[in-house]
Amino acid sequence: MKVVILAGGLGSRITEESHMKPKPMIEIGGTPILVHIMNHYSKHGFNDFIILAGYKSEHIFSYFADFYANSSKNSIFNLESGKREDLEVETKKWSVQVIDSGLNTQTGGRLLWAKDFIKGDFLLTYGDGLSDVDINKLVESHKLDKNIVTLTAVQPEARFGALEFGEKNNISGFYEKPKGDGHWINGGFFCCKKDIFEYIRSDKEILERFPLKSISELGRLGAYKHEGFWHPMDTLRDKNKLELLLKEDKAPWV
């Protein structure tokens, strides 16, 4: 089963580093977050990757070209001259295909670039979030429920502490950054049928709007609830927290 990673966004909320490189290439403990994500999938037995690059895509191309310098296959070729350049590399364990899906393409539109390389069900995620989600259980849930898309639902850690009040406005409970507030959000880490492409109309399509909304209205958008670790890397603060977890050997995704 192929793993498709959306790695083309501008990273506008972490400009301290994204002005130099694409967000998925920002390092956590000396390794790009993109590779941390790939390692997590590989740990669960999924080693066939399509990376949909865009902003500063040359950094992703060059990283894998160098990384696989001694591999059995290392070739760069054009599928559409001037529009689309792929780097396809293979090792004993991983197969990686990097596709430049354009600078201003939206998340759904980027996914269209992978359509011709996907034959059946596939995994999909963003290139900027880490989790210890069990990918095999996600796939099992998807197959059991027969949905078009199954997303991983998570409860993020609250940014601020929470207070609980008693009858006379006295504080009856104090919680330092509790996990979530009862709400579940989309944590990425999708499992999809190829039918999803029927709901993506152009490269301007935002995956999280018309495609997923339409599929949910059909009753065919499932959720796999993950109560373990999940953390995005949206800001420098997020990066620093992930760095600290790794440094202290408390990184659940490893």
Side-chain angles (χ1 to χ4, degrees), residues 164-175:
E164 186 175 277
F165 292 94
E167 292 181 2
K168 297 182 179 180
N169 282 339
N170 61 306
I171 296 174
S172 59
F174 180 88
Y175 306 96

Side-chain angles (χ1 to χ4, degrees), residues 8-24 26 55-56 103 106 110 128 233-236 238:
L10 298 176
S12 56
R13 285 188 285 176
I14 190 168
T15 54
E16 296 90 345
E17 293 203 34
S18 65
H19 73 284
M20 298 181 294
K21 64 181 73 171
K23 189 177 178 184
I26 294 174
Y55 173 70
K56 294 188 179 295
L103 180 61
Q106 297 292 343
R110 288 196 195 284
D128 62 356
M233 190 189 68
D234 288 331
T235 64
L236 186 59
D238 292 328

Side-chain angles (χ1 to χ4, degrees), residues 154-156 180-185:
V154 298
Q155 289 185 297
D181 55 5
H183 296 291
W184 294 84
I185 68 167

